[in-house]
Amino acid sequence: MESINAKYVSQKISKTKWRPVSHSDLQLPEIFATGSWDNEDNRISIWSIGSNLSTGMEDGFEGDPQLLCEHKHDGDVLDLQFLDQDRIVTASSTGAVTIFRHHQNSQVLAFEFLLVDPEVLLVQTISVSQLWARAHRYPCDNAPCTGVVCSSPEIVTVGEDGRIVVFRADQEGVVRVIENADSSTIHAVTYLRTTEILTVNSIGQLKLWDFRQQSNSPSQILSLSGDRVPLHCVDRHPNQQHIVATGGQDGMLCVWDVRQGNTPFSLMEAHTAEMWEVHFHPTNPDHLFTCSEDGSLLHWETSSHSDMPSFLQGGRNSSMVSRSAMAPAGGKQPLISAWLSGDSSKGRLETTHMLPSQTLSVNSLDVLGPCLVCGTDGEAIFVNRQVPV
Amino acid sequence: MEEVDVEPTITNIPAISDGKHMGFAWGPGDILVYETRYKASGASGSGCSFIHEIRKDEDIYSPILRKLFNESHHIFVGLQTIREDLPSKSKKPQFVSISKNYRSVIRACMEELQQVAVSTKNTELATQCGNQVSILLAIELIWNLCEVLFIDAAPAGSLLLHLLDWVRLHKADVDEKAREVLQSESPAEHRDYWDVVVSYVLQGRLEEVRQMLVKQANLQPAARSMYKQMDTLLSKMPFYNPGGTQTLTEFDVKWRHWHEEVDRCLQDNSFASNRHLELICKILLGDEDTLLDHKELLGTWYHFLVTRLLFCHPTVKLTELHYYAQSCMTMFLDSRSVPEPLDNILLAAFEFDIHQVIKECSIALNNWWFVAHLTDLLDHCKLLQSHNLHFGSNLREFLLLEYASGLFTHHSLWQLAVDYFDHCPEFGRVYLELQIERVPLETERKALKVLRVCEQRQMSEQVRSICKIMAMRALRNNRLGSALSWSIRAKDAAFATLISERFLQDYCAKGTFSDLDLIDNLGPAMLLSDRLTFLGKYREFHKLYGEKRFREAAKLLLSLMTAKIAPQSFWMTLLTDALPLLEQKEVIFTADQTYELMFCLEELTSSLNITASSTDRPMQEEDVEVTKVELLRLALARNLAQAIVKEGTVEI
């Protein structure tokens, strides 16, 4: 708990996202973006937790997130993704999809009498670089855009109007629209593979869409049996792409294997209210994080079969791998994710609360390396820089 | 009607001219004012077409104060969870720490406002922040005193130490001045040197005084012995140590000895040659006239009070405070000057009149944040029990309701208000019910959050109403699937029926179903309304038919009519759907089933004939209907014949 750092920001935070770190150097994440909702004027803001960044602010101790720059955002920010290092895509409640560009110019100012080291003077600005107004709409009204996912330059958005829209960051028009992709609201979207996406909707269904096919119907529908509990979030296992986690209105965490069966592989009671986001840890997927309307943020950890990290297990010797490839389905596979190891996994699944008690909803979380950031309706941002993963 | 405590303040509305009549409407946190069409005789000119919104509380819109509201909400919720049944002894430290938390939030806010006020170039913003800082300063001052007197209620001895801390915290300008003096080249010759020394003495910070005096003594070797003597006096002054073994009586005896020693020094003119040291000596004796001579260093009457207590009555008890407070205030303030509201509030606190404190604060401050939270805390300390209002339930609840209602008018802070309403046992729920229905719902996400609030509190009426709003909106945007989902969530049978009708109409018009993903997965929700059940079952029939499971399909189709699940208006469609089944090579409907189908057809045509005679249907449409019935009759008869033959045949 000690390593958790809270900052009150005078706006309800709907989304938080770390800026991706470049793979070339093993940097720690330093910069994140937040979006607000339900304010008279909503904003998208860029923050830094870096200690060596002088922003002219002397208040706040080290590690306190410092506001670098912000920009007005029309409507609630319902989703937010980094397209690349300095472009951010947002989904708005007005149905608009916007790309913002974060400029970080280390300008050497012309004032020669300036006593400050010129390198320190990073000029941080943010501006709108592209806007698709009314990307989601009803015939005579705007429809909120509820989710966005991107793999540069492609951007996929979903909305309350049940449409899936595909954009390209370098093109003005729309690349593809799937009208009536869903009869109810689509709450979230994620990539399964480069050409396949997954959507979750408000009647408890998980739909798989293959963009290689021209048809406007999903290639697969998975659903919770019977009770139609709305699903609010979805995330894919970073290494094993057939494993998908979703969170629903009843706070239940579902793990699905999209290759097998149309019902979830396991259901775990997690929260007492809507689960707003679920994320596998990008580099250590035995760890998973969820946050919820009930004001809690959970860290899930499943221990692997042996003490060896899961990614090594399959490759102990090559003969084993080849045998498994020939083994009939249902046979014991050496490379099986801890998330799909059945009932016994429940005994090994550990959950810990990551926030001090608080009552208002945790709307969003993001985790990258040892750093976690989350934003709440209590108008606070929490940053934890020592997540035990 | 009762007398008003203060004259109401007048707000002029610039756009409304004199002599016009105004109308108004109350809102939860504001008033709407408009000019009426009433014209006084002789009045002329056109009316003003504006509606003015008048707010009492502007603070709620300050971005920095929002942090105060959010952070204190967290503390408030924590306070409510302290268990009632704990012994009061173990609760007291918790209450004190909660009070300190509240104060530290105020302090943090104050610092941020101060920073903005200093750094901004916008003068208007700077003054606004400056004003808010001074209000917060006063709030913190009052809260701190209430904490010392009511919540901590320290016994004699410790009480004075707390009061000293209180004064030191709020008279911090001494330290600033001292820093300035010490940083100068020759501190002892600085013109503010003696002011700082005396100020330290007045605050009882004798260690600092001694350090300062050393500098002066070094400059005056001749007077060294005199300085030495003063230093001894200062170092010997006893302070009560609440954690120690010393009893209060022992301390009192010791203190009296020291006091006599100081008095002796003054009597034998030990410091007569140095007016500054003599002055310090007089202050140490608590000489009232000397103290009053240094009003500008004391600043306030309550500083005077604490200094006087320090040097005259260090073992003062809570119950004696009001006597000294009253006299100090009269002595300190000139007979001409009128006490400010803050003076009255502090005096009321010293007099232990909690209700007066709250009342005066409510009048003087423009927001309910302070009084609501302070009253709540004092109520938890069981200090407010005797008092009941002749309106509402009790003082705590009344103030919390006012504060929370104010939050609810804010477009974003309404979520905080919910927890405050929860902790108002008598009227909280009613307030919440009325307010929550009026939250504008721009997105489904927000609707879900509002719904969650209602569902957690079993507010079924509001749940229904919110779902209905969302269902209506979806329907208006032609999103039948969404609309149906919302009405299923609200268990709104009537609306589900309406939407099912729309689905069936769409089917009749287009020949295909829309929103199959929803209809195919209705599950038990199908039972919500008859029409929805029919919709689900009818779709099931199509699915069976599509899968070529004809026998099951036929059975289902028939049961839809015989069990009266299908509305009669839809029977013709169902019978037409039976046509291809009747025409199959294989016999699908048994003889009994065929009879039943025929019976249905007859029932339908007889009722149609009655209606047909009364209305003027175009000939062409009637022709189509007649042909359809003819076709059906033929098909049914042929099927019956085949069925009888088949059922009568014995296979050998």
Side-chain angles (χ1 to χ4, degrees), chain A residues 8-12 14-15 37-41 58-59 76 78-79 93 138-141 144 146 160-162 180-185 187 201-203 205 207 221 223 226 228 230 232 249-250 272-274 276 293 356-361 363 377-379, chain B residues 55 61-67 70-71 73-74 77 112 115 410-416 419 440 442-446 448-449 452-453 455-456 470 473-474 476-486 488-489 514-519 521-525:
Chain A
Y8 285 85
V9 293
S10 299
Q11 49 187 336
K12 293 199 276 194
S14 55
K15 280 290 157 185
W37 78 285
D38 205 24
N39 225 345
E40 254 170 358
D41 46 329
E58 275 162 33
D59 70 323
D76 298 346
L78 290 183
D79 202 0
S93 62
Y138 301 122
C140 46
D141 200 1
T146 53
E160 279 186 22
D161 56 357
N180 263 325
D182 208 306
S183 60
S184 48
T185 298
H187 282 145
N201 68 10
S202 65
I203 53 171
Q205 293 170 329
K207 292 184 183 175
I221 299 184
S223 67
R228 309 170 67 254
H232 289 297
Q249 180 163 284
D250 51 359
T272 55
E274 285 86 352
W276 292 126
E293 179 73 20
S357 74
Q358 69 125 28
T359 54
L360 290 169
S361 168
N363 291 326
D377 276 345
E379 307 192 341
Chain B
R55 273 181 200 147
Y61 294 92
S62 151
I64 295 170
L65 287 179
R66 269 174 84 161
K67 299 182 187 182
N70 274 298
E71 280 199 78
H73 164 263
H74 192 64
V77 174
E112 198 174 337
Q115 206 164 36
H410 192 274
H411 50 84
S412 185
L413 293 174
W414 59 271
Q415 271 177 308
L416 298 180
D419 284 312
E442 294 92 357
T443 61
E444 284 196 8
R445 175 97 56 104
K446 190 167 176 186
L448 289 172
K449 282 179 183 272
R452 175 60 62 181
V453 168
E455 278 173 356
Q456 272 169 349
M470 296 311 286
R473 186 181 298 169
R476 205 177 56 220
N477 290 317
N478 227 359
R479 299 275 302 152
L480 294 186
S482 253
L484 189 56
S485 291
W486 282 110
I488 289 172
R489 182 156 181 183
S514 57
D515 301 341
L516 284 180
D517 51 351
L518 175 70
I519 301 171
N521 287 289
L522 282 174

Side-chain angles (χ1 to χ4, degrees), chain B residues 158-171:
Chain B
S158 318
L159 176 64
L160 182 75
L161 299 177
H162 286 302
L163 286 174
L164 267 177
D165 285 337
W166 173 62
V167 160
R168 285 170 191 167
L169 188 63
H170 294 94
K171 190 96 177 72

Side-chain angles (χ1 to χ4, degrees), chain B residues 320-364:
Chain B
E320 301 162 350
L321 267 178
H322 66 99
Y323 160 72
Y324 297 113
Q326 182 68 60
S327 68
C328 282
M329 190 168 138
T330 351
M331 269 193 269
F332 193 86
L333 297 177
D334 296 334
S335 50
R336 284 159 296 159
S337 64
V338 190
E340 304 254 321
L342 180 62
D343 298 324
N344 289 329
I345 294 168
L346 294 176
L347 186 63
F350 280 119
E351 287 171 344
F352 246 74
D353 191 345
I354 297 177
H355 292 103
Q356 190 63 25
V357 173
I358 292 164
K359 186 174 160 183
E360 299 261 359
C361 290
S362 310
I363 294 169

